[in-house]
Amino acid sequence: MAMLHYGFDKIGLRRIIAVVKPDNIASKKVIEKMGMKFEKILRVGDVKYNGYDGELYYTLTKDEYKR
């Protein structure tokens, strides 16, 4: 939660993104416990770097965080 507080309250981000591999169950649980919501599955063509096919993309907006 300190990461979210820092991002939203200290440096003024409007949205924070987390990307995790589908088989990383522990990281997915932490991300979801922080209130981040699954948004989509990234494909290599979706990103401008050599990512991995099938990465899970989670987001949290500042408004969602404040609720």
Side-chain angles (χ1 to χ4, degrees), residues 25-61:
I25 304 301
S27 290
K28 288 193 314 188
K29 285 182 181 180
V30 170
I31 289 167
E32 290 168 359
K33 189 173 182 176
M34 291 189 315
M36 300 189 86
K37 306 290 184 217
F38 173 76
E39 190 168 306
K40 63 182 176 180
I41 296 174
L42 292 175
R43 302 284 179 213
V44 173
D46 292 342
V47 292
K48 294 187 185 338
Y49 65 93
N50 287 332
Y52 299 100
D53 188 32
E55 295 216 5
L56 307 179
Y57 184 94
Y58 289 79
T59 64
L60 185 68
T61 66

